Amino acid sequence: MVLLTACLSPALLGQGKALTVEDMMKFRQVEGPVISKDGAWVAYQARPGRGDGQGLVRAVDGSASYTVDRGASPAISGNSAWAAFVIEPSFAAQQKAAEKKSEDKPKNGLALVNLSNGQQTDFENVQRFAFSPDGQWLAYHRFKEEGEKDQEKDEEASQPEEPEEPEAAEAEEEEKPEKRKNAGTTLILRRLSDGSERELQWVKGWAFDEQSRYLAYAQASEDGQGNGLRLTSLEESPQETALSESADGVYESLTWSKDSGRLAYLQAVADQDGKAGPAQLRIWDGPGDVQAAVDDAETPEGWMIPLEHNSLRFSKDEARLFVGLRPRQPDEMEEDDAEDGDEGEEEEEPSDPYDVGEILEKREVDVWHWNDPRIKTHEKDSYQQRSRSTFGAVYHLDSNRLVKLADEEVPRLIPSENPNTALLISDVPYLQEITWVGFNQDAYLVDLENGQRKLAAKRVSGPLELSPDGRYLAYFQVDNWWLYDFQTDTKRLLTAEMEVPFYDEDHDYPSPRPGYGSPGWLEDSSALLIYDKYDIWKFPAQKGSAAIDCLTDGRGREEERIFRVVDTDPDSDFIAADGALLLTSYHDKQKNDGWYRLKMSQGGLERLLEQAKKFDFIARAEEADRLLYTREDYDEFPDLWVASSDFADAVKVSTVNPQISEFAWGTSELVEWNSLDGIPLQGVLIKPGNYQPGQRYPVLVYFYRFFSQRLHEFNEVVINHRPNFPFYASNGYAVFLPDIRFEVGRPGFSATKCLVPGVQKLIDMGVADPQAIGLHGHSWSGYQTAFVVTQTDIFAAAVAGAPVSNMTSAYGGIRWGSGLSRQFQYEQSQSRIGASLWEDLPAYIENSPVFYADRIHTPLLIQFGDEDGAVPWTQGIELYMAMRRLRKPAVFLQYRGEPHHLQKYANKLDYTLKMKEFFDHFLKGAPAPKWWIEGAAYEGK
């Protein structure tokens, strides 16, 4: 506590007090918010940075509010009568288990809240829960009980010994079945009206049907007895129906259709270790027998249905069922009919020390071939995902046919609600190019009846929009939207003749310019909606059938407002031609948000609400005109609000951090200036709490690319690798968040040309102390920070987190988090060089701070985790070694075992404190911390 007091005890400034790290730890975040179907209740978790959270459920009209200690992941029943929360283990219990590194970690529980009276019922040891869709039932699935195995042993030991013949005992031991792995656990089915419960044993998987008639559950016991798939009816007099009974049977992917009540599932046979063989697809179609939809012998030659890592999906008309296939492995091609060997273990022959083959069996080598599709690190990183991948197929329920659609050459299926066509995507031709170009793919339309494909578009990196009728595919390529007609096998440009661009107008990368996306097709496939930077356009699918229409009447571009469609119905894949759309509005210059309504059939844009705030949509109540959203500002926490669709009766339903008013939070305002190249720029100035006009303040500059949109954003009060704005503002700093516009081939110089005049603007405004300006950046802006201080001495101190310091050595490295090469980042992406190392070596050198370290006169704090998967931490070593050799003031903070962003709380806190001490010393004249003056000796841990 001495350290905390020493560096974080500024006197209270005027009316508001300064934030401390202890205060920051207590700030809470809203997580998992949900709204009831009738729109009357909202539930959420309030989670602090440190300590135990709370679950809260509140009536929108303010008539009731209930709290659940340590409640998380809330759910509200379909009849809006009940709420349930996961009860997380206490913070203390989690910390204790972490310190002991115990595998037996504390387990979650469950809280059930009666919304009519607030009565809470708790259940322990719950791994999963769900309400039935009608809200009449709650199912909760227990973890394996602790000490269960020990209890079994104790029970066996407590049985009285009976004399028996040795032979008889031996025979009995032989007949005793071995315990199987992956056994299920207890599932409790609770009738919510009276609290009565049914206990179902050895349950592995389960699912309610959409009509709340049945619960399907798969059982897997330790001895195989009673294994099977069963239904229990959700009626006054429950009935059990066995769909399948098999000691070796295993069942996965229990999937109910929404309307007809069909149950689809996968069934396989497993060995004693729980390893399952090829699966069979089964469908139960009501009271009748189970339909053997696809047996293993009926799959396409060389293919099988895997039981695990698979999923089933009914089409909305329930005429088709999508399922995954996998190539059959050599040992799965046919049954192993080899005769069993002799009982007992064979004696191992002595090892031959000169047996070359036996020696080579222990080798550990990876062969990197120049023509491999993936480099070895990416191949390894993606191995588990690829080995578990399935390839899409469709089962037609009317004709009982399975049609294979995807395969290893065209692997990804995007199912469609169209009965005839779906979309296939393949990146296989471009796997090698990922290394230096990035990601591209080919798009195919596939016939669901016969699996035949037509190539629709090659080398596409943007979005793909398939029309509801499956006839058209829209995609963005080379600055324009294209439309492929599956019926005529032709394509045409949609946007080429338009007066406004549909590519990203702010794109400053060497890669092709992307589009702004699309909210989707009209439900009748007559038109596609497309965004430009500001407006929403309707393009008819058939050329000349109708005029291209700007649905927002050009007001977006005229008023510099960016309009976007809000998806208020996740179950709807398309846009009703005669419906009303909820739009968000973001003013590109003033940085504020608003809500608008667009009437598709009548036309016209109606403003519903616009304020100097930021809004975020969360959800719409399924059965009421109620929207759940957040409202925020720099000094307003994003609490939850509920309103009708016209926002006339908005109600705030949460107050998560009322203590904000106690602190000198500061205020935000927009600042404008020009770069050294004359480019207009914007940024956010956060003035210190209790700001006094005419007084100059130390300034912390924090940046990345565009940050002016943060004018009305609440800065999350957490302790991590970033400087917290209110923390610094309440402690007497101004904070500056400038925009950066980049020039391809000169990213470092671009940052300098934007930052320096921005800082000068603050000096000219009389806000900034010109001798007390600090710079902080992490990752991409960590690089910029390291480069900028080689070009200017305007900054009194700088912090560079995870910076690239030498582009020539970083270029050929690996992003260990994904296994991908870093080359594409420099040639096409964020680093913006736009050429390979051999094509433009001078650009790599000129943009590398390590080559100009002799020009750095700014005290520099460098931070890295030594398991950084994005930027090689050796980049920090290179910069540190240069500074050390040149006798420049620098400290390198190496956090052991940490990735790109610090994860361990102690390390995040340490970095937060050191960062603050560093800036306090150089910008406010506080005594230098000991670690800056003397360093810290290694202590053997």
Side-chain angles (χ1 to χ4, degrees):
M1 291 301 294
V2 175
L3 179 62
L4 299 180
T5 304
C7 71
L8 296 173
S9 57
L12 298 185
L13 302 174
Q15 298 177 351
K17 63 182 180 179
L19 273 167
T20 67
V21 291
E22 291 94 335
D23 295 321
M24 293 172 67
M25 292 176 187
K26 297 173 185 177
F27 264 80
R28 305 194 298 178
Q29 308 300 324
V30 170
E31 296 189 3
V34 294
I35 188 169
S36 61
K37 284 187 175 181
D38 64 1
W41 296 90
V42 170
Y44 58 96
Q45 181 191 22
R47 182 188 292 277
R50 194 86 169 157
D52 293 329
Q54 283 185 323
L56 297 103
V57 56
R58 294 187 169 177
V60 172
D61 64 6
S63 61
S65 177
Y66 309 123
T67 301
V68 175
D69 291 338
R70 308 197 314 275
S73 304
I76 301 176
S77 62
N79 59 3
S80 304
W82 303 84
F85 293 82
V86 170
I87 299 180
E88 298 180 327
S90 69
F91 179 77
Q94 294 183 62
Q95 290 294 106
K96 186 176 180 180
E99 289 170 3
K100 291 183 176 181
K101 298 181 179 179
S102 172
E103 294 184 2
D104 189 16
K105 298 179 180 179
K107 294 180 173 60
N108 291 334
L110 171 66
L112 177 66
V113 181
N114 186 330
L115 297 182
S116 66
N117 55 24
Q119 181 178 351
Q120 178 178 326
T121 306
D122 293 348
F123 309 92
E124 296 182 348
N125 202 30
V126 176
Q127 60 173 303
R128 180 192 163 206
F129 74 89
F131 289 110
S132 61
D134 64 0
Q136 300 297 323
W137 295 85
L138 171 72
Y140 60 97
H141 199 183
R142 295 192 183 277
F143 290 102
K144 188 177 182 65
E145 296 291 341
E146 294 182 13
E148 187 173 329
K149 290 186 177 180
D150 295 334
Q151 181 180 354
E152 292 170 358
K153 292 180 181 178
D154 292 342
E155 289 175 355
E156 291 176 4
S158 66
Q159 296 298 320
E161 294 185 6
E162 297 181 6
E164 40 184 4
E165 297 293 328
E167 292 81 7
E170 209 169 277
E172 183 176 336
E173 186 66 30
E174 288 178 1
E175 293 174 2
K176 186 176 181 180
E178 295 182 16
K179 289 186 177 180
R180 300 163 188 263
K181 295 182 179 180
N182 302 321
T185 57
T186 302
L187 176 71
I188 308 296
L189 186 58
R190 181 183 182 91
R191 187 193 300 273
L192 294 172
S193 59
D194 59 13
S196 60
E197 295 185 339
R198 305 182 205 169
E199 191 170 290
L200 307 174
Q201 298 294 332
W202 306 114
V203 174
K204 282 286 290 182
W206 52 278
F208 285 110
D209 80 318
E210 294 291 335
Q211 286 81 36
S212 300
R213 299 172 305 162
Y214 299 102
L215 174 82
Y217 63 99
Q219 291 178 297
S221 66
E222 290 184 340
D223 60 6
Q225 298 299 311
N227 283 11
L229 179 66
R230 293 176 172 81
L231 301 178
T232 184
S233 61
L234 305 179
E235 300 173 352
E236 292 293 330
S237 300
Q239 295 182 347
E240 296 286 322
T241 302
L243 301 186
S244 175
E245 294 180 297
S246 171
D248 299 319
V250 285
Y251 310 87
E252 295 284 351
S253 301
L254 277 58
T255 305
W256 290 95
S257 64
K258 187 171 184 179
D259 296 325
S260 65
R262 289 188 175 103
L263 174 67
Y265 60 93
L266 300 177
Q267 174 179 331
V269 175
D271 59 22
Q272 287 292 132
D273 293 328
K275 183 179 179 181
Q280 301 166 332
L281 176 62
R282 295 286 184 264
I283 297 175
W284 179 73
D285 194 7
D289 295 332
V290 172
Q291 174 185 346
V294 181
D295 285 326
D296 184 46
E298 298 171 325
T299 56
E301 185 177 356
W303 292 79
M304 58 171 281
I305 301 175
L307 181 76
E308 298 179 335
H309 311 298
N310 208 339
S311 63
L312 303 178
R313 177 180 179 269
F314 281 101
S315 59
K316 288 185 178 179
D317 63 8
E318 302 185 12
R320 295 167 305 287
L321 179 66
F322 293 95
V323 61
L325 301 178
R326 181 167 65 80
R328 201 179 292 268
Q329 303 301 312
D331 59 346
E332 297 164 336
M333 295 300 291
E334 57 185 24
E335 295 290 335
D336 183 8
D337 56 1
E339 294 183 4
D340 293 335
D342 294 335
E343 294 183 7
E345 296 182 2
E346 296 182 2
E347 295 184 8
E348 293 186 6
E349 296 183 3
S351 176
D352 180 355
Y354 308 108
D355 188 329
V356 173
E358 185 176 342
I359 296 170
L360 289 177
E361 287 178 359
K362 299 178 181 179
R363 63 188 165 188
E364 297 174 341
V365 60
D366 293 325
V367 179
W368 295 52
H369 190 272
W370 70 273
N371 205 31
D372 285 339
R374 296 177 174 88
I375 59 175
K376 275 294 175 285
T377 48
H378 185 212
E379 188 179 353
K380 287 182 179 180
D381 185 79
S382 61
Y383 174 77
Q384 288 295 336
Q385 178 184 352
R386 289 184 291 109
S387 64
R388 295 173 176 177
S389 294
T390 60
F391 301 89
V394 62
Y395 178 75
H396 295 276
L397 279 78
D398 56 351
S399 58
N400 301 324
R401 292 185 305 112
L402 180 72
V403 180
K404 181 170 70 69
L405 304 175
D407 57 27
E408 292 162 304
E409 292 302 313
V410 186
R412 186 181 170 201
L413 170 70
I414 300 179
S416 167
E417 293 305 321
N418 178 263
N420 304 312
T421 312
L423 182 62
L424 287 174
I425 296 173
S426 175
D427 62 353
V428 173
Y430 312 108
L431 289 177
Q432 271 197 337
E433 294 183 8
I434 290 174
T435 302
W436 57 87
V437 174
F439 298 89
N440 286 292
Q441 56 197 10
D442 293 340
Y444 297 79
L445 294 181
V446 60
D447 190 314
L448 299 183
E449 287 296 320
N450 53 34
Q452 293 182 356
R453 307 164 184 164
K454 277 189 178 180
L455 179 64
K458 290 181 66 67
R459 196 178 283 275
V460 178
S461 58
L464 300 160
E465 298 287 346
L466 183 64
S467 64
D469 62 5
R471 175 175 174 177
Y472 303 104
L473 177 69
Y475 59 95
F476 189 88
Q477 191 177 55
V478 193
D479 288 350
N480 283 289
W481 280 90
W482 294 74
L483 191 69
Y484 172 79
D485 187 334
F486 184 67
Q487 184 173 308
T488 62
D489 194 22
T490 59
K491 65 179 181 180
R492 64 182 175 91
L493 270 171
L494 289 178
T495 57
E497 304 302 323
M498 302 296 294
E499 294 181 357
V500 300
F502 285 81
Y503 55 78
D504 186 348
E505 298 178 38
D506 299 307
H507 190 69
D508 54 10
Y509 300 88
S511 59
R513 293 179 292 199
Y516 288 101
S518 162
W521 284 86
L522 297 189
E523 196 167 16
D524 61 3
S525 299
S526 63
L528 174 71
L529 272 55
I530 300 177
Y531 298 130
D532 72 6
K533 180 175 180 178
Y534 299 103
D535 289 300
I536 307 170
W537 297 76
K538 183 173 74 172
F539 286 82
Q542 294 187 18
K543 188 175 182 179
S545 61
I548 297 171
D549 184 15
C550 182
L551 297 176
T552 46
D553 299 326
R555 284 178 57 183
R557 188 165 295 272
E558 179 183 346
E559 301 172 8
E560 296 184 289
R561 300 180 191 278
I562 298 173
F563 291 113
R564 295 296 182 259
V565 175
V566 179
D567 183 9
T568 60
D569 185 2
D571 292 332
S572 177
D573 298 321
F574 308 107
I575 298 169
D578 58 351
L581 299 180
L582 178 65
L583 306 184
T584 60
S585 163
Y586 170 71
H587 199 290
D588 197 33
K589 289 295 184 287
Q590 299 176 12
K591 313 302 178 185
N592 67 290
D593 284 358
W595 301 106
Y596 283 69
R597 180 186 288 135
L598 173 64
K599 296 179 180 179
M600 293 293 293
S601 59
Q602 302 171 13
L605 196 59
E606 177 186 2
R607 183 169 69 180
L608 304 173
L609 176 66
E610 189 157 16
Q611 295 176 340
K613 303 287 183 182
K614 174 179 168 58
F615 301 110
D616 275 314
F617 173 82
I618 297 175
R620 178 181 62 86
E622 293 183 29
E623 299 172 356
D625 181 23
R626 284 287 183 269
L627 304 175
L628 178 64
Y629 64 99
T630 61
R631 190 185 85 176
E632 65 184 284
D633 205 340
Y634 166 73
D635 55 358
E636 179 181 352
F637 179 82
D639 275 304
L640 300 171
W641 291 71
V642 173
S644 58
S645 57
D646 60 5
F647 294 90
D649 54 355
V651 177
K652 184 180 178 182
V653 294
S654 75
T655 306
V656 174
N657 290 299
Q659 72 274 31
I660 288 176
S661 60
E662 301 173 12
F663 299 99
W665 209 260
T667 58
S668 65
E669 63 184 61
L670 204 60
V671 177
E672 298 184 341
W673 71 99
N674 290 337
S675 74
L676 293 178
D677 290 333
I679 300 171
L681 296 170
Q682 293 181 304
V684 177
L685 170 62
I686 299 170
K687 290 181 176 177
N690 308 302
Y691 171 76
Q692 297 294 323
Q695 180 177 337
R696 290 188 178 270
Y697 292 88
V699 177
L700 174 59
V701 181
Y702 180 65
F703 69 114
Y704 198 87
R705 188 193 178 205
F706 296 154
F707 266 10
S708 59
Q709 74 278 5
R710 295 191 173 194
L711 176 65
H712 296 296
E713 286 186 9
F714 183 85
N715 187 229
E716 190 178 27
V717 184
V718 294
I719 291 172
N720 57 22
H721 62 281
R722 303 178 180 92
N724 180 260
F725 309 154
F727 178 49
Y728 279 86
S730 69
N731 279 277
Y733 285 83
V735 180
F736 185 42
L737 313 175
D739 285 345
I740 308 294
R741 299 249 176 199
F742 292 98
E743 176 187 350
V744 172
R746 294 169 61 84
F749 298 101
S750 300
T752 306
K753 290 188 287 186
C754 294
L755 283 171
V756 172
V759 169
Q760 188 60 50
K761 173 73 173 184
L762 302 189
I763 296 171
D764 296 342
M765 290 172 61
V767 174
D769 178 350
Q771 305 303 315
I773 299 171
L775 184 64
H776 181 285
H778 187 86
S779 191
W780 173 234
S781 59
Y783 153 73
Q784 295 175 70
T785 296
F787 185 89
V788 165
V789 295
T790 70
Q791 307 295 304
T792 178
D793 296 335
I794 200 171
F795 298 103
V799 176
V804 166
S805 63
N806 183 352
M807 288 192 174
T808 66
S809 59
Y811 170 80
I814 300 294
R815 296 180 66 94
W816 296 108
S818 62
L820 294 170
S821 165
R822 296 178 58 80
Q823 292 178 359
F824 79 91
Q825 178 177 329
Y826 293 89
E827 296 185 37
Q828 295 284 317
S829 184
Q830 189 178 66
S831 298
R832 295 175 171 85
I833 298 299
S836 72
L837 187 66
W838 310 278
E839 292 168 330
D840 197 350
L841 177 59
Y844 283 82
I845 294 174
E846 290 168 4
N847 285 281
S848 297
V850 73
F851 294 111
Y852 307 99
D854 58 323
R855 303 179 186 179
I856 298 176
H857 304 113
T858 305
L860 185 62
L861 181 62
I862 308 164
Q863 179 268 324
F864 256 105
D866 61 14
E867 292 185 6
D868 193 321
V871 180
W873 80 288
T874 51
Q875 289 289 308
I877 294 175
E878 287 194 45
L879 184 57
Y880 162 77
M881 294 301 291
M883 298 288 283
R884 185 175 189 270
R885 172 67 178 82
L886 294 164
R887 310 304 297 160
K888 303 283 187 178
V891 165
F892 181 28
L893 300 178
Q894 172 202 342
Y895 287 96
R896 296 190 292 272
E898 288 279 30
H900 191 55
H901 299 137
L902 299 177
Q903 298 297 310
K904 299 172 186 174
Y905 203 89
N907 291 338
K908 291 189 286 188
L909 178 59
D910 180 78
Y911 185 36
T912 296
L913 294 172
K914 282 185 168 62
M915 190 193 312
K916 180 68 162 46
E917 291 172 330
F918 176 73
F919 284 128
D920 279 352
H921 171 59
F922 286 105
L923 306 188
K924 298 178 75 173
K930 183 178 179 180
W931 57 267
W932 179 261
I933 298 173
E934 302 177 6
Y938 177 66
E939 298 178 346
K941 61 178 182 178

